[in-house]
Amino acid sequence: MKKEYLKLDKVEGALIELSDVHGVKYGEVVEVENNLGEKVLGRVIKIYKNRVVIQIFGTTLGMSINNTKVSFKGKPFEIPLSKDILGRVFNGVGIPIDGGGDIYSDKFYNVNGRPINPVSREYPRDYIQTGISSIDALTTLIRGQKLPIFSGAGLPHNELAAQIVRQAKIKSHGNESSNFSIVFAAIGVKRDEAFYFTEEFRKAGVQDRLIMYLNYADDPIMERIIAPKCALTAAEYLAFEENQHVLVIMTDITSYCEALREISSLREEVPSRKGYPGYLYSDLASLYERAGMTKDAEGSVTLIPILTMPNDDITHPIPDLTGYITEGQIVLSRDLYQKGIYPPIDVLPSLSRLMKDGIGEGFTRGDHPDVANQLFSAYSKVQDIRALAQIVGEDDLSDKDKKYLEFGNAFEERFLTQDLYDSRDMLDTLNISWELLRILPKDELDRLSPELIEKYMPGD
Amino acid sequence: MENIRGKVAAINGPVIVGENMTGFKMREMVLVGHKKLIGEIISIDGDLGTIQVYEETEGLTVGEDIRSTGKPLSLKLGPGLLGNMFDGIERPLNRIRDEFGTFIPEGIGLISLDEEKLWDVSLNVKPGDYVKEGQVFGSVQETPLINHKLLVPIGAKGKVIKVEKDGKYNINHTLVEVEDESGNIHELKMYQEWPVRIARPVDRRLPIGKILITGQRVLDIFFPIAKGGTAAIPGGFGTGKTMLQHQLAKWSDADIIIYVGCGERGNEMTEVLEDFPKLIDPKTNRPLMERTVLIANTSNMPVAAREASIYTGITMAEYYRDMGYNVAIMADSTSRWAEALREISGRLEEMPAEEGYPAYLQSRLAQFYERAGYVNTLSGEEGSVTIIGAVSPAGGDFSEPVTENTRRLVNVFLGLDRELAYSRHYPSINWLNSYSGYADMLKSYYESMIHEDISPLRAKMLRLLFEESKLQDVVALVGEDVLPDEQRLILEIARVIKVGYLQQNAFHKEDTYVPLKKQVEMLKTIDLLYERGLSAIKKKIPISKVRDGELYDKVMKMKYTIPNDRLEDIDELKNIINEFYDELESYYSS
């Protein structure tokens, strides 16, 4: 039953309204064709009796009240998926843009997905070695985790994400796993950024295992809402049907939220903080919570969303709500960046909630949890002492405090600082940590048990 | 009743409007569309009724049927709750997985307790007895830990005319028949239904007077929570709210724990599901799962069911309270619940108050927290519901509406601090802005439990911490060296309190739960260290000698090195402290 409607009531921004329609389903996909024959997709977002509000994925440029054909597809937004998507590039609504032809599959997947039953979830425990000391030791990434990078405009988050993709090694019972793929969703990114990623992925030799969904900064803003959903649907398909370990990188969530805000204001909804809609939390959760592992499949979806904090403000609604949903965060710091430290990961506000069960004896090494704890505590003390040194001058500090300053500088130079192409093994990272902790007086090591100190700092 | 039908007229996310709704009642549960999505009527305007739907509405069409059920959103309360995980409207997630697989679809229908399972019932009434509402008429051993008492439902009282033999029955079997004064027959089964939004009645409320022992030093000694009391745990993300809630669920001495994961992470619920069956209750040596009910509405599950999940949890809590149990409900997080209210309010186009929250936020929060209490139940026993609500303030700012409104309703406020969390000081409870209205209770409680009053010691330690925070301001300006030795001692002792006492390691087998007696002895040891140090300084002994690295280290690590069942080791440590200062003083006096 394909009915076409020819008359609109209203066109405003990316929303169109029409009346006298019957049998429309909430959320169903609509195809809109203007009088030049250009087709765009849309979705039903509100029904009131026989009036329907449709959100257009694309532009409403050139649409007129008359002579615009609207046909209802009778099904929700779905994309076809098969193993052929590996190595392909799509636009934000899942249409191939690499000239490689359409994806044919008899299986169509609703991009909105369905929540994973908490009972079906498998609690993530296997760590992913990224080869980056500050992440591996202090905010360990776990397979099936959602761990965002909180960055700011101009900070090297793209480089960091690319480095993670290059170096990520999934160790499962000591063996490296090969059924590994990457889904990359660009949400309103600049073309040169997208180019940078394509180039880095090519260099890393992962393009055969890579699927890209690209929504450029100048693409229609409404496609931004769908791009991450397509990417996650593809990731879920690969993980839970093809048993792949999928790493999903999404950049930039800030653009996604801004697109949501734009639609919300078009719909004249009551805004909450900073004009963002009241359902921003639920909406972000519907993306982030799709990461995970299940008891019914071998695969996993690990999600690294990147967001730029407006004005570097971690209390801005986007990083704030994200932090409440994700299992930790990696925070980049402008101060460290300006000091010339790469990667400029501010370890103190950074956190991995799942690391507690994925490190230590049987996973990384027995001393890992306590060493991480001690590094955090010592480096946090360094900050206090640096503030003090600014006032009283370094010379007037106590000897103990001077040791802390020495530790702080060594920590930043030898532990945090790492070359873009330097991949450190987990054990190397832990050994460097012990070398650094040697700088401090022994009675300051309050997070380490005497046995550990004896074992890893013998002879002191 | 059942055949009143309305039609869907408008759809906007989880909020729909139906027409031909004249016969429907406010807050009635309805089934929407051919998938029979579960919804609740939240307003009626002439012919039109507004419904919030607890499931995804994608695919719903205008004109589909709305069926009435004739009753408000209610729970089936009976054996089979403990050890299980439910969604926000009491549908068992295990069964959903068995039937529908990994993901949760919509249109599951109304399912709740297991109706097949046979329970061993023993009844304690006989024909001719008179029973009243809330009276215990039988019992079922629900788990090895918990004896589930069968209560006469509200509305049924009178003469028992028929009683089944003790034996194995499913929950739908009629066990007892009661004839009331007007000759109506009430069939008593193992379960009863109760509307979630109405508080279950009690005989009377009793004054609060018992501490909920948690085994967490910062709580039991400094900011105690009372059985039947209310507590809020506000904290920005990453400050360890959930961790603290888990610790309380694991170790608090409540009989029953109801854990509501409201709009939180799926993996956290999975963690509880994996951990709790393995954890053994120190008092009973049984797995903790046997006293726990989990309710999960993760952040990607439908938002309307999130609003209901809190009520579902508190209703279950009241039900077990009515059997005479001490129940603690952990709601993580009430902010997500408030946001669900806001989201639905927004879709209803209501006039927003502060930050877009509806104006009725305060009254809804009050209705929730006021369901806590220590009571005499209708069956004549004492029972309690303790509410511990996590709050997730936007941007970690405690002046936002949910935190502010909650603060006025609770007696214990445990402010989690981002700075402390960043330096991995857990639990990151800020001792300067937290408070407990139950602290005075400590005095009499401790006197009855361990025959001494520790409130002066508590006050002294809090004073030291307070002085330290003031001194830190000075130190930040001029450095530590210029302070007189007495004040430097305060800085050092405060550090011992913070590191050796307030910080508690949830992953350490000795430290995760500490018995009260050890908590008190540890604090006394720190006090001894302070007093001996202070008197040494008064004898002009320099701080560099008074603060002996090795000795201080021993005190700070006693939480790890002294096992919970070997308190005599603490006396030994006290001897070491005394000997050290005796020696020091005699050296300086000679």
Side-chain angles (χ1 to χ4, degrees):
Chain A
M1 170 203 92
K2 196 178 169 187
K3 272 196 236 168
E4 278 192 352
Y5 294 85
L6 290 173
K7 191 173 174 337
L8 304 183
D9 288 359
K10 189 171 162 187
V11 182
E12 189 184 4
L15 301 184
I16 60 173
E17 274 186 45
L18 62 162
S19 50
D20 285 332
V21 286
H22 298 280
V24 176
K25 289 186 177 135
Y26 185 72
E28 94 174 88
V29 170
V30 183
E31 194 175 76
V32 183
E33 188 181 336
N34 67 14
N35 50 8
L36 301 173
E38 292 160 347
K39 287 178 184 170
V40 286
L41 294 178
R43 184 165 167 253
V44 175
I45 56 167
K46 194 170 179 177
I47 309 177
Y48 193 83
K49 296 194 175 170
N50 59 7
R51 276 175 78 85
V52 180
V53 181
I54 294 163
Q55 172 187 326
I56 300 294
F57 303 118
T59 174
T60 48
L61 187 83
M63 261 183 210
S64 76
I65 295 282
N66 298 316
N67 295 327
T68 299
K69 285 186 210 156
V70 180
S71 56
F72 292 85
K73 299 287 180 193
K75 54 179 192 181
F77 202 102
E78 292 174 330
I79 50 172
L81 292 173
S82 74
K83 278 203 104 169
D84 297 339
I85 56 172
L86 285 165
R88 300 293 307 272
V89 182
F90 304 89
N91 72 2
V93 288
I95 296 166
I97 50 170
D98 54 359
D102 289 344
I103 297 292
Y104 291 100
S105 170
D106 43 5
K107 279 186 171 167
F108 283 76
Y109 293 80
N110 185 338
V111 296
N112 286 324
R114 285 284 173 266
I116 301 179
N117 190 332
V119 177
S120 319
R121 275 184 191 269
E122 175 85 36
Y123 191 70
R125 285 180 202 277
D126 287 320
Y127 76 100
I128 298 178
Q129 179 178 305
T130 64
I132 297 163
S133 291
S134 39
I135 297 179
D136 285 349
L138 301 176
T139 47
T140 319
L141 178 64
I142 306 288
R143 190 157 76 193
Q145 183 171 22
K146 37 194 179 291
L147 188 65
I149 298 175
F150 286 8
S151 183
L155 294 180
H157 45 265
N158 291 341
E159 286 80 351
L160 182 62
Q163 191 174 4
I164 293 174
V165 168
R166 267 199 311 272
Q167 301 180 352
K169 287 195 184 100
I170 289 181
K171 289 196 175 169
S172 170
H173 314 296
N175 303 318
E176 278 182 34
S177 176
S178 60
N179 50 349
F180 174 57
S181 48
I182 297 159
V183 175
F184 177 75
I187 311 161
V189 302
K190 296 181 294 239
R191 277 165 200 275
D192 52 347
E193 279 180 273
F195 183 73
Y196 171 81
F197 275 109
T198 321
E199 202 46 24
E200 286 297 321
F201 292 146
R202 194 187 52 75
K203 274 194 229 161
V206 294
Q207 68 270 47
D208 298 342
R209 295 180 275 141
L210 173 74
I211 304 137
M212 297 178 98
Y213 289 87
L214 299 178
N215 167 265
Y216 294 112
D218 55 349
D219 278 342
I221 198 159
M222 297 309 149
E223 286 186 11
R224 263 163 229 180
I225 309 269
I226 292 294
K229 294 187 171 134
C230 290
L232 285 162
T233 307
E236 276 179 348
Y237 160 77
L238 289 173
F240 304 135
E241 293 191 26
E242 301 294 339
N243 294 320
Q244 298 261 318
H245 293 298
V246 189
L247 180 64
V248 185
I249 306 239
M250 277 184 191
T251 182
D252 175 340
I253 294 295
T254 308
S255 313
Y256 175 81
C257 295
E258 267 154 16
L260 269 187
R261 173 165 70 179
E262 190 171 327
I263 294 171
S264 171
S265 104
L266 272 176
R267 293 173 71 176
E268 296 172 1
E269 291 170 338
V270 179
S272 73
R273 274 202 301 160
K274 298 215 169 166
Y276 291 97
Y279 50 80
L280 183 60
Y281 179 84
S282 312
D283 196 282
L284 285 174
S286 72
L287 299 183
Y288 299 147
E289 275 289 326
R290 291 172 80 172
M293 300 176 77
T294 71
K295 295 193 173 97
D296 308 316
E298 293 284 310
S300 62
V301 177
T302 309
L303 176 60
I304 302 184
I306 299 171
L307 57 91
T308 47
M309 298 184 278
N311 200 20
D312 292 353
D313 176 12
I314 200 169
T315 65
H316 184 279
I318 299 171
D320 191 48
L321 295 179
T322 297
Y324 276 122
I325 307 163
T326 53
E327 283 135 356
Q329 63 276 341
I330 294 170
V331 183
L332 302 191
S333 143
R334 204 168 290 276
D335 283 352
L336 289 174
Y337 180 63
Q338 281 162 349
K339 272 190 184 173
I341 292 169
Y342 174 87
I345 295 176
D346 189 353
V347 298
L348 294 179
S350 298
L351 171 77
S352 164
R353 290 168 193 273
L354 297 183
M355 72 185 274
K356 63 185 188 334
D357 294 307
I359 62 170
E361 199 62 57
F363 297 99
T364 54
R365 198 168 78 182
D367 56 328
H368 188 166
D370 293 329
V371 167
N373 213 334
Q374 184 66 62
L375 286 176
F376 276 124
S377 142
Y379 189 61
S380 122
K381 197 139 187 210
V382 169
Q383 307 303 319
D384 295 343
I385 293 167
R386 279 183 182 163
L388 178 62
Q390 287 210 324
I391 297 158
V392 299
E394 261 183 50
D395 297 341
D396 287 343
L397 290 177
S398 68
D399 287 346
K400 188 182 85 187
D401 287 357
K402 282 180 187 157
K403 285 284 176 201
Y404 267 105
L405 285 190
E406 191 189 333
F407 166 81
N409 294 334
F411 179 79
E412 285 166 8
E413 278 162 27
R414 294 174 49 201
F415 186 88
L416 288 188
T417 304
Q418 204 169 336
D419 189 79
L420 245 127
Y421 291 87
D422 177 17
S423 177
R424 282 187 201 147
D425 190 69
M426 181 64 96
L427 297 183
D428 290 342
T429 294
L430 288 175
N431 292 339
I432 297 175
S433 312
W434 279 103
E435 279 171 37
L436 294 173
L437 290 173
R438 265 170 202 271
I439 298 172
L440 296 173
K442 226 182 198 175
D443 61 344
E444 288 295 308
L445 303 179
D446 53 17
R447 311 290 169 107
L448 298 172
S449 71
E451 298 81 52
L452 274 184
I453 295 180
E454 185 56 39
K455 185 169 174 194
Y456 291 99
M457 272 191 208
D460 278 307
Chain B
M1 268 321 268
E2 303 273 325
N3 34 25
I4 305 180
R5 297 237 171 146
K7 295 253 177 259
V8 175
I11 309 163
N12 180 10
V15 174
I16 68 164
V17 176
E19 44 189 11
N20 298 334
M21 302 288 288
T22 340
F24 286 75
K25 292 188 291 264
M26 186 68 177
R27 290 287 173 195
E28 178 177 343
M29 189 161 41
V30 294
L31 301 173
V32 180
H34 69 278
K35 283 184 176 169
K36 297 193 178 166
L37 308 175
I38 295 167
E40 184 181 6
I41 296 188
I42 50 175
S43 80
I44 304 173
D45 178 6
D47 188 32
L48 299 176
T50 307
I51 298 163
Q52 64 177 8
V53 181
Y54 294 125
E55 298 179 80
E56 176 61 51
T57 51
E58 193 176 79
L60 195 66
T61 314
V62 165
E64 286 194 59
D65 278 344
I66 300 171
R67 291 179 191 77
S68 133
T69 63
K71 59 187 182 193
L73 180 68
S74 350
L75 301 184
K76 271 191 179 174
L77 298 166
L81 292 172
L82 290 174
N84 263 322
M85 190 194 261
F86 299 92
D87 77 352
I89 49 176
E90 208 207 1
R91 296 185 298 189
L93 289 169
N94 267 320
R95 204 169 134 201
I96 294 176
R97 180 180 176 221
D98 291 345
E99 284 180 32
F100 302 96
T102 310
F103 298 94
I104 303 178
E106 62 276 348
I108 298 163
L110 269 180
I111 48 174
S112 60
L113 296 174
D114 188 340
E115 297 180 357
E116 309 285 312
K117 183 166 178 173
L118 297 179
W119 298 93
D120 226 334
V121 185
S122 58
L123 298 167
N124 60 9
V125 290
K126 51 186 190 303
D129 286 358
Y130 280 87
V131 292
K132 58 184 179 61
E133 294 170 333
Q135 184 181 329
V136 178
F137 69 88
S139 67
V140 170
Q141 197 65 37
E142 187 176 359
T143 68
L145 211 52
I146 298 296
N147 183 22
H148 189 113
K149 293 170 192 162
L150 304 177
L151 306 171
V152 177
I154 307 301
K157 59 180 169 189
K159 188 175 164 189
V160 175
I161 53 171
K162 196 174 157 202
V163 179
E164 271 288 0
K165 285 197 213 59
D166 289 2
K168 285 185 183 297
Y169 302 103
N170 68 26
I171 59 165
N172 285 326
H173 192 88
T174 302
L175 300 168
V176 174
E177 285 181 15
V178 172
E179 184 178 5
D180 65 17
E181 286 172 350
S182 29
N184 297 324
I185 306 288
H186 298 273
E187 296 183 340
L188 308 192
K189 299 178 179 178
M190 236 176 282
Y191 73 89
Q192 51 180 290
E193 295 200 6
W194 190 262
V196 294
R197 292 181 200 279
I198 298 173
R200 288 175 59 86
V202 297
D203 175 37
R204 66 198 154 91
R205 282 182 175 248
L206 299 172
I208 280 168
K210 286 191 181 132
I211 293 176
L212 183 79
I213 305 291
T214 64
Q216 312 300 307
R217 290 182 293 262
V218 61
L219 295 180
D220 291 355
I221 300 288
F222 287 98
F223 307 109
I225 302 171
K227 290 202 172 95
T230 48
I233 308 177
F237 64 81
T239 52
K241 277 186 309 296
T242 302
M243 204 52 229
L244 186 58
Q245 289 271 36
H246 282 195
Q247 281 297 92
L248 294 177
K250 283 174 190 170
W251 304 120
S252 69
D253 71 339
D255 302 312
I256 307 271
I257 301 288
I258 313 277
Y259 193 96
V260 187
C262 176
E264 290 290 305
R265 306 174 182 89
N267 278 332
E268 279 170 2
M269 297 312 293
T270 313
E271 187 186 1
V272 174
L273 264 185
E274 283 193 10
D275 276 4
F276 278 34
K278 284 184 231 150
L279 287 168
I280 303 297
D281 181 17
K283 294 189 310 271
T284 54
N285 282 325
R286 298 291 316 173
L288 284 172
M289 202 60 203
E290 292 179 358
R291 64 162 193 180
T292 310
V293 185
L294 299 173
I295 296 165
N297 177 279
T298 58
S299 55
N300 56 341
M301 281 156 81
V303 70
R306 191 167 309 157
E307 195 261 343
S309 66
I310 289 278
Y311 295 104
T312 300
I314 192 84
T315 306
M316 288 181 187
E318 286 176 339
Y319 176 63
Y320 281 101
R321 172 203 66 195
D322 291 347
M323 298 177 204
Y325 289 117
N326 291 310
V327 186
I329 171 170
M330 323 281 162
D332 185 14
S333 133
T334 55
S335 294
R336 303 296 159 233
W337 172 71
E339 279 165 13
L341 284 182
R342 172 168 76 184
E343 184 171 337
I344 292 161
S345 165
R347 304 239 187 215
L348 295 172
E349 294 172 6
E350 292 172 339
M351 179 75 81
E354 241 181 312
E355 287 195 23
Y357 287 104
Y360 47 78
L361 175 67
Q362 162 73 16
S363 61
R364 292 284 172 89
L365 279 169
Q367 280 165 14
F368 171 61
Y369 280 104
E370 279 301 299
R371 286 173 80 168
Y374 200 95
V375 305
N376 217 353
T377 66
L378 292 177
S379 62
E381 290 186 77
E382 286 185 13
S384 67
V385 171
T386 310
I387 299 182
I388 302 167
V391 183
S392 319
D397 168 17
F398 289 178
S399 66
E400 59 90 44
V402 183
T403 319
E404 247 332 294
N405 284 315
T406 304
R407 195 197 269 263
R408 287 163 49 202
L409 297 166
V410 298
N411 280 320
V412 182
F413 185 84
L414 304 169
L416 301 188
D417 190 289
R418 197 167 262 178
E419 293 301 318
L420 291 175
Y422 282 178
S423 60
R424 301 313 190 254
H425 173 119
Y426 291 122
S428 64
I429 296 173
N430 183 330
W431 48 89
L432 297 173
N433 70 8
S434 300
Y435 55 82
S436 165
Y438 305 118
D440 288 339
M441 209 188 295
L442 266 179
K443 194 175 149 67
S444 50
Y445 185 79
Y446 274 87
E447 273 170 3
S448 71
M449 292 295 287
I450 49 180
H451 311 295
E452 61 186 315
D453 177 15
I454 61 134
S455 39
L457 183 59
R458 168 185 185 269
K460 181 176 172 186
M461 292 296 148
L462 277 175
R463 199 196 68 230
L464 284 179
L465 287 169
F466 181 68
E467 276 178 35
E468 186 248 9
S469 81
K470 295 226 147 155
L471 290 174
Q472 287 294 0
D473 294 345
V474 181
V475 171
L477 286 177
V478 294
E480 203 178 313
D481 294 350
V482 298
L483 293 180
D485 279 0
E486 252 174 68
Q487 296 189 337
R488 289 186 65 183
L489 181 68
I490 293 182
L491 294 184
E492 295 297 342
I493 292 294
R495 177 154 183 260
V496 175
I497 303 175
K498 284 190 262 181
V499 176
Y501 199 81
L502 297 178
Q503 281 182 19
Q504 193 164 345
N505 187 342
F507 305 113
H508 192 281
K509 70 177 186 349
E510 293 294 336
D511 208 30
T512 183
Y513 172 86
V514 182
L516 264 189
K517 186 72 185 156
K518 184 181 172 192
Q519 298 188 19
V520 175
E521 290 305 318
M522 282 175 71
L523 200 58
K524 283 186 183 161
T525 312
I526 296 174
D527 184 44
L528 180 71
L529 188 70
Y530 173 62
E531 286 300 335
R532 291 300 312 248
L534 190 62
S535 67
I537 280 172
K538 282 187 177 146
K539 289 176 182 144
K540 303 278 181 274
I541 302 173
I543 182 86
S544 55
K545 291 282 178 288
V546 170
R547 190 211 173 279
D548 180 75
E550 206 176 313
L551 184 68
Y552 270 57
D553 207 39
K554 262 196 189 122
V555 174
M556 277 193 272
K557 288 193 174 151
M558 67 181 157
K559 57 181 177 182
Y560 299 143
T561 51
I562 298 180
N564 288 336
D565 52 357
R566 294 197 27 169
L567 291 185
E568 60 273 18
D569 289 10
I570 290 192
D571 292 330
E572 203 174 302
L573 181 61
K574 284 184 189 158
N575 287 339
I576 295 175
I577 295 172
N578 279 324
E579 277 164 26
F580 174 83
Y581 284 105
D582 287 345
E583 211 168 289
L584 190 70
E585 285 177 8
S586 69
Y587 175 80
Y588 269 85
S589 61
S590 61

